Amino acid sequence: MSKILVIGAGGQLGQCLKTVAERRGINDIVFPAEQDANILNKDRLYELLAIEKPFFVINCAAYTAVDKAEDEVDLAKAINETGAAYLATACLANGATLIHVSTDFVFEGNKVKLLKEDDEAKPINVYGVTKLDGELAVTAVLPAHFIIRTSWLYSEYANNFVKTMLKLGAERDELNIIADQVGTPTYAIDLANAIFDIMSSSSTAYGVYHYSNEGVTSWFDFAKAIFDISKTAVKVNPIPGSAYPTKATRPAFSVMDKTKIKETFNIQIPYWRDSLIECIKQIKIQ
């Protein structure tokens, strides 16, 4: 496989990419520290790509604090849109292909239907708007790109819903979890494997793709599964989203259709609960 450069290497997906690269025996991959690959430092990005000369650049850098984004609009826009544009321009100048990670939150999520890549993107919060603008910035600048929208990302690394539930479950006897927001959890190790599959395919079928684990669930059922698998004794109560108001509105239904990525790259996608079992096993090992 050709040389790979990972931007946002210290985040959840970046750490998963490092783990998968080690498992696959991929050595020609660079994970620079944030200060050496700041997505808002345009000149440094150009310099880094000119030095490393990667064939692929994976952009894991993102502002993902969905509620805080409602107050920190400029920062979210800078990282998710301007930074993506800087990176795409640097890729163009250095002949690199960009794999840019995006989100199901680019959709309104007001209809119960599997979301396809060419469905209308109509985000309902600042985070979603900035991620969509980042997608558009990439496509406007760089023909050689793969944009991968994912959802409900979790792993044994960093902070995420699974680790939060395990922590709260150990501290409390009872939890209230939203039951009327439906989507699909995605194990970041599985997403990392899919990204490597895309790169190793040598495909030039550039464009937007959807990737999450298979299946459909609510946050409530996701939490129940976490506690069942981890054998955590805690009572979980389903509540409507209206009972737990947040600054940012979330899509009610954001289950994505993965047909395109499966058929294009011959990718087998694990069922969400099977991957959750593996993740919890890895967390217990740590």
Side-chain angles (χ1 to χ4, degrees), residues 88 134-143 145 147 207-208:
E135 290 185 12
L136 296 173
V138 168
T139 57
V141 169
L142 181 66
H145 68 264
I147 293 171
V208 179

Side-chain angles (χ1 to χ4, degrees), residues 180-229:
D180 58 357
Q181 291 172 13
V182 175
T184 307
T186 306
Y187 185 26
I189 290 287
D190 293 338
L191 174 58
N193 271 304
I195 289 171
F196 281 112
D197 287 344
I198 289 170
M199 291 187 293
S200 64
S201 74
S202 301
S203 173
T204 55
Y206 304 127
V208 179
Y209 292 86
H210 288 172
Y211 185 94
S212 67
N213 282 124
E214 296 284 26
V216 178
T217 193
S218 68
W219 288 111
F220 166 76
D221 289 302
F222 190 16
K224 282 284 291 179
I226 293 165
F227 297 133
D228 290 346
I229 293 164

Side-chain angles (χ1 to χ4, degrees), residues 4-283:
I4 303 162
L5 176 67
V6 179
I7 306 297
Q12 175 171 222
L13 181 56
Q15 292 181 71
C16 289
L17 285 163
K18 189 170 187 178
T19 295
V20 172
E22 290 170 355
R23 291 176 182 174
R24 289 188 173 210
I26 296 169
N27 300 313
D28 203 5
I29 184 167
V30 181
F31 296 91
E34 184 178 352
Q35 63 266 26
D36 297 322
N38 187 330
I39 199 166
L40 297 181
N41 189 332
K42 185 178 182 179
D43 293 339
R44 178 56 186 149
L45 289 177
Y46 272 77
E47 181 183 0
L48 181 63
L49 267 70
I51 292 169
E52 296 294 348
K53 297 180 173 57
F55 188 89
F56 291 104
V57 176
I58 306 172
N59 183 25
C60 304
Y63 183 107
T64 58
V66 178
D67 289 315
K68 285 180 69 177
E70 298 295 312
D71 295 320
E72 298 181 343
V73 178
D74 291 343
L75 181 58
K77 182 179 178 64
I79 296 171
N80 292 343
E81 179 187 356
T82 307
Y86 286 166
L87 187 56
T89 304
C91 286
L92 182 67
N94 289 277
T97 297
L98 178 61
I99 297 178
H100 178 74
V101 181
S102 192
T103 174
D104 60 323
F105 275 33
V106 300
F107 293 109
E108 184 176 13
N110 63 341
K111 296 177 182 176
V112 180
K113 66 180 289 290
L114 294 181
L115 294 161
K116 295 180 180 293
E117 287 82 355
D118 57 359
D119 283 338
E120 180 185 12
K122 191 177 179 182
I124 55 176
N125 55 48
V126 169
Y127 167 66
V129 168
T130 60
K131 289 298 290 182
L132 177 59
D133 288 345
E135 290 185 12
L136 296 173
V138 168
T139 57
V141 169
L142 181 66
H145 68 264
F146 297 98
I147 293 171
I148 306 176
R149 293 173 180 154
T150 191
S151 62
W152 298 23
L153 208 62
Y154 71 91
S155 70
E156 53 267 37
Y157 303 109
N159 294 319
N160 55 69
F161 185 77
V162 172
K163 293 177 76 173
T164 298
M165 287 299 102
L166 290 172
K167 180 177 182 295
L168 292 177
E171 297 171 348
R172 303 182 189 178
D173 297 323
E174 191 170 353
L175 291 169
N176 296 327
I177 306 294
I178 293 172
D180 58 357
Q181 291 172 13
V182 175
T184 307
T186 306
Y187 185 26
I189 290 287
D190 293 338
L191 174 58
N193 271 304
I195 289 171
F196 281 112
D197 287 344
I198 289 170
M199 291 187 293
S200 64
S201 74
S202 301
S203 173
T204 55
Y206 304 127
V208 179
Y209 292 86
H210 288 172
Y211 185 94
S212 67
N213 282 124
E214 296 284 26
V216 178
T217 193
S218 68
W219 288 111
F220 166 76
D221 289 302
F222 190 16
K224 282 284 291 179
I226 293 165
F227 297 133
D228 290 346
I229 293 164
S230 64
K231 295 180 169 56
T232 302
V234 58
K235 183 182 179 185
V236 187
N237 303 312
I239 61 169
S242 58
Y244 187 77
T246 56
K247 279 210 166 187
T249 305
R250 267 75 168 170
F253 189 92
S254 59
V255 181
M256 298 184 295
D257 187 317
K258 279 88 67 176
T259 302
K260 182 180 176 184
I261 198 168
K262 288 189 287 188
E263 292 184 349
T264 303
F265 305 105
N266 193 29
I267 288 174
Q268 302 295 315
I269 302 180
Y271 176 57
W272 72 266
R273 191 178 173 104
D274 294 337
S275 291
L276 178 59
I277 291 169
E278 175 61 23
C279 179
I280 290 174
K281 183 175 79 174
Q282 293 300 322
I283 290 172

